[in-house]
Amino acid sequence: MPASPAIIELRHIAANREQTRVFEDLSLTLHAGEHVAILGPNGAGKSTLLKLITREIYPLHREQSRMRLFGHERWDIRDLRRHLGIVSQDLQNDYEPDAHGLEIVLSGLYGSIGIHAHQSYSEADVAHARALMDDIGIAGLAHTPYAQMSTGQQRRCLLGRALIHDPDTLILDEPTNGLDLAASFQYLALMRALMGAGKTLVLVTHHIHEIPPEIDRVMLLARGRIVTDGPKGEVLTAQNLEELFGTVVTLLQADGWYQAVPGGT
């Protein structure tokens, strides 16, 4: 069978974050319909990779470098939103505290952080946002200010914002970070439902337990480079995780889920 089209293609990318070189020669390709986890410790380059994909930063110009999203090197950011929805830690931390739930979801139509006077929303837009909130279980947050929401509620509203254009692909950045056990399980169930509905999921994390059974490929990112890439069962080994995180681990598995606990005696 022919390979699915590439949705993200990076070739020999060099990139800086402020004055620090994060990537020197990064190459990776992700395909439509392929659920992928990019796993790495703090400082590995995960946030910089997200900012490259969202066009918040740009790679250094080099003759051999190439970066394509959904087959194109140049994108109007408004068109890109129709293909790619992102929920990041930076977005959650920076969102307007007085924005209400419905406003958060609607703001995805413009890719803004909050609602602004120059933006206009039709009755159909509002109805679509309300229906989407109902689908993901946050209809009751329509008039709740962001600052009064729990971390899990904020995360669901930002997911609604990412879904407002019905994108083909979702990138989720440490989606259960800061959530209690019940909220984590609810969010993971929602992720699985979205994959079951045909969304391509790219998970960026340092938490092993966030990787759902449907994820079939795992990349290990360390010090700005992909050190291992392949099928989940081959990549998620105790040895690989020990080398990645620099600590001894015991790897547990149950029903397609993985968890790392302290190793040794």
Side-chain angles (χ1 to χ4, degrees):
M1 295 179 61
S4 300
I7 57 175
I8 299 172
E9 185 179 5
L10 308 180
R11 289 287 176 266
H12 306 296
I13 294 296
N16 292 341
R17 185 81 178 268
E18 296 178 349
Q19 303 302 315
T20 301
R21 178 64 54 86
V22 178
F23 300 125
E24 184 60 48
D25 187 23
L26 178 69
S27 294
L28 64 87
T29 302
L30 308 180
H31 295 275
E34 178 183 47
H35 305 307
V36 180
I38 301 174
L39 181 70
N42 291 334
K46 301 188 300 296
S47 295
T48 303
L49 177 60
L50 285 173
K51 289 183 179 297
L52 277 170
I53 294 170
T54 57
R55 304 302 218 203
E56 294 177 63
I57 64 174
Y58 288 85
L60 301 178
H61 178 71
R62 289 180 171 179
E63 184 176 347
Q64 73 273 28
S65 296
R66 183 175 69 189
M67 178 174 174
R68 290 180 177 172
L69 300 177
F70 301 92
H72 299 282
E73 294 187 9
R74 297 182 182 276
W75 272 95
D76 182 305
I77 193 67
R78 292 168 296 183
D79 292 332
L80 185 59
R81 291 188 202 112
R82 295 182 174 90
H83 292 274
L84 186 64
I86 296 179
V87 180
S88 70
Q89 289 292 311
D90 285 349
L91 178 62
Q92 178 155 5
N93 293 338
D94 296 342
Y95 211 87
E96 298 286 346
D98 58 347
H100 291 190
L102 181 61
E103 295 172 340
I104 294 167
V105 176
L106 280 170
S107 69
L109 291 171
Y110 287 91
S112 58
I113 299 181
I115 297 293
H116 302 285
H118 66 277
Q119 298 169 348
S120 61
Y121 300 91
S122 68
E123 291 184 4
D125 291 334
V126 174
H128 174 51
R130 288 187 179 278
L132 180 56
M133 294 180 74
D134 188 51
D135 287 343
I136 60 177
I138 55 171
L141 298 175
H143 302 293
T144 302
Y146 186 75
Q148 295 179 19
M149 297 179 189
S150 68
T151 301
Q153 290 171 335
Q154 291 176 349
R155 199 75 49 82
R156 282 179 174 245
C157 284
L158 293 174
L159 179 61
R161 178 183 182 274
L163 290 169
I164 193 71
H165 283 295
D166 193 22
D168 313 310
T169 301
L170 289 170
I171 299 180
L172 302 183
D173 177 23
E174 298 181 1
T176 70
N177 190 39
L179 305 189
D180 65 23
L181 198 62
S184 293
F185 287 175
Q186 290 168 357
Y187 205 93
L188 290 168
L190 186 53
M191 289 164 54
R192 299 184 75 184
L194 290 166
M195 286 187 281
K199 302 292 185 189
T200 297
L201 180 68
V202 180
L203 173 65
V204 181
T205 187
H206 62 252
H207 297 298
I208 308 297
H209 72 270
E210 288 187 333
I211 302 176
E214 291 80 3
I215 295 278
D216 44 28
R217 177 183 173 192
V218 175
M219 296 182 176
L220 303 185
L221 181 67
R223 299 174 298 279
R225 63 188 186 92
I226 302 294
V227 294
T228 310
D229 178 10
K232 177 174 60 179
E234 297 177 12
V235 172
L236 287 186
T237 66
Q239 180 178 349
N240 283 342
L241 295 176
E242 288 176 358
E243 293 174 356
L244 184 69
F245 290 101
T247 190
V248 179
V249 305
T250 296
L251 189 63
L252 307 178
Q253 298 182 46
D255 300 324
W257 297 92
Y258 289 72
Q259 180 61 287
V261 298
T265 57

